[in-house]
Amino acid sequence: MDNCRAAPPVVDEATAERQGKAPAVVQHLLRDRGVRAWCHYKISLGMQEAA
């Protein structure tokens, strides 16, 4: 994306839910293969005063 001010694509609720569950699914698949894995979540909010 060349324009840093471009709006991010809209994600519907079902897609967000699937993406939210994906790390846990990968973690379980790795555990089944003997690999220890951790999920780390980071929530970031950008705020700007309304003009």
Side-chain angles (χ1 to χ4, degrees):
M1 190 178 290
D2 293 332
N3 184 356
C4 65
R5 295 185 181 272
V10 176
V11 177
D12 64 15
E13 194 170 330
T15 301
E17 187 173 336
R18 280 194 315 274
Q19 290 177 350
K21 292 179 181 179
V25 172
V26 172
Q27 184 180 15
H28 288 291
L29 291 171
L30 290 170
R31 188 181 316 146
D32 291 346
R33 288 162 178 76
V35 177
R36 292 176 59 184
W38 294 263
C39 289
H40 296 272
Y41 295 94
K42 178 180 178 180
I43 296 174
S44 177
L45 296 174
M47 297 183 191
Q48 182 176 4
E49 186 176 340

